[in-house]
Amino acid sequence: MTRPYIILTILFLTFIGQLFGQDTTIYDQENASMFSNNYTFIKKNKSDNFGTFIQYSGTDDMQHWFGQGVFTETNKKYFLTFDTTNNRNRIETVSSTGHSDTLYIKWFDWSGEQQEWFSIRFADTTKNKNIYRADYLTGFVKIPKKDLTDKNLSLFAFGSNRNIFDFSVADNVDEINVFANDPVLMHTFDKKKETLRKNGKGFTTVGMWTKEKPTQFVVRQK
């Protein structure tokens, strides 16, 4: 093999390694037929011993839990630190748009996932019984500003009288992004730190419905 060919081969293999360098591994709780509970670990490079993670759990009755943060890794353990900075209901507003006569309202959960099924009502429903439902195509509510006789609004689950979050509309606001978890369907893991102990199959930690006992998590087959 000539020297130029060897150099080109090395450069090509280096490029391919960088292209596929990001490493994502998912671990599922073992023997979880009626629910799902998993951890996703994401590294920028396969050789890294640190990265980001997402923990997600879901049940057949449509309840969901989630958490995310950063991790470091040793030969025997994963050390997880959960990000709790956005674990609260809040709103973000936008002014000076091209629809100053209409208020747009979008709903996101704490992790930033847009929720498309909801309605907006005035907080004082004894005076104003109007219900503004999210458009099924756009996924957000439009309220003509001439209808805003009351600046206090409430977010409701779609087709339900379940009040999720109350908020106020400031003057000269054209868009409102509501970040709120539905307490019935969405939850956040009440964790700040967690240690996962590695073994030959994956790792062990306290799982769902294990009476606070460690259970096995195994690598999801790709």
Side-chain angles (χ1 to χ4, degrees), residues 188-218:
T188 297
F189 290 109
D190 187 20
K191 303 176 183 177
K192 293 185 178 179
K193 294 184 180 295
E194 185 175 13
T195 299
L196 316 178
R197 300 180 182 278
K198 291 183 180 180
N199 55 37
K201 297 174 65 176
F203 61 79
T204 60
T205 189
V206 175
M208 293 185 68
W209 294 296
T210 59
K211 297 181 179 179
E212 297 301 314
K213 295 181 180 180
T215 190
Q216 183 69 47
F217 283 74
V218 295

Side-chain angles (χ1 to χ4, degrees), residues 25-54:
T25 307
I26 302 175
Y27 293 88
D28 295 302
Q29 182 174 333
E30 201 171 44
N31 302 320
S33 59
M34 302 300 291
F35 60 92
S36 59
N37 188 19
N38 57 67
Y39 293 76
T40 299
F41 294 93
I42 304 167
K43 300 178 183 179
K44 186 176 181 180
N45 302 293
K46 290 184 178 181
S47 59
D48 291 343
N49 63 349
F50 59 90
T52 60
F53 75 90
I54 300 170

Side-chain angles (χ1 to χ4, degrees), residues 14-220:
T14 302
F15 171 77
I16 292 297
Q18 291 176 345
L19 183 64
F20 295 99
Q22 181 165 306
D23 181 51
T24 299
T25 307
I26 302 175
Y27 293 88
D28 295 302
Q29 182 174 333
E30 201 171 44
N31 302 320
S33 59
M34 302 300 291
F35 60 92
S36 59
N37 188 19
N38 57 67
Y39 293 76
T40 299
F41 294 93
I42 304 167
K43 300 178 183 179
K44 186 176 181 180
N45 302 293
K46 290 184 178 181
S47 59
D48 291 343
N49 63 349
F50 59 90
T52 60
F53 75 90
I54 300 170
Q55 185 187 0
Y56 169 82
S57 299
T59 63
D60 288 347
D61 60 354
M62 300 302 292
Q63 294 192 77
H64 305 277
W65 290 260
F66 66 86
Q68 57 189 359
V70 296
F71 75 90
T72 58
E73 179 184 6
T74 66
N75 290 333
K76 295 184 178 180
K77 297 176 182 179
Y78 288 103
F79 298 95
L80 277 56
T81 301
F82 285 77
D83 182 359
T84 61
T85 54
N86 289 325
N87 292 354
R88 57 183 176 80
N89 293 345
R90 63 195 189 279
I91 65 171
E92 294 178 358
T93 61
V94 180
S95 303
S96 302
T97 65
H99 51 83
S100 59
D101 61 341
T102 306
L103 177 66
Y104 288 11
I105 300 176
K106 298 178 183 179
W107 175 27
F108 303 85
D109 65 20
W110 284 348
S111 65
E113 179 102 9
Q114 185 172 359
Q115 309 297 302
E116 299 178 344
W117 300 96
F118 67 100
S119 64
I120 298 293
R121 308 180 192 181
F122 288 94
D124 188 351
T125 56
T126 61
K127 293 181 179 179
N128 193 328
K129 299 184 181 299
N130 285 1
I131 299 176
Y132 300 90
R133 294 180 174 85
D135 183 276
Y136 72 95
L137 292 177
T138 63
F140 57 83
V141 165
K142 293 182 180 181
I143 303 178
K145 288 191 178 180
K146 62 181 178 59
D147 292 351
L148 288 174
T149 56
D150 187 340
K151 298 292 186 179
N152 298 310
L153 300 176
S154 298
L155 169 70
F156 280 78
F158 184 81
S160 169
N161 288 322
R162 188 169 70 253
N163 185 338
I164 296 173
F165 183 53
D166 297 324
F167 60 97
S168 298
V169 182
D171 292 333
N172 301 319
V173 169
D174 296 347
E175 296 183 7
I176 292 179
N177 296 327
V178 177
F179 293 83
N181 275 3
D182 183 336
V184 173
L185 301 180
M186 293 177 286
H187 309 267
T188 297
F189 290 109
D190 187 20
K191 303 176 183 177
K192 293 185 178 179
K193 294 184 180 295
E194 185 175 13
T195 299
L196 316 178
R197 300 180 182 278
K198 291 183 180 180
N199 55 37
K201 297 174 65 176
F203 61 79
T204 60
T205 189
V206 175
M208 293 185 68
W209 294 296
T210 59
K211 297 181 179 179
E212 297 301 314
K213 295 181 180 180
T215 190
Q216 183 69 47
F217 283 74
V218 295
V219 176
R220 179 181 297 180

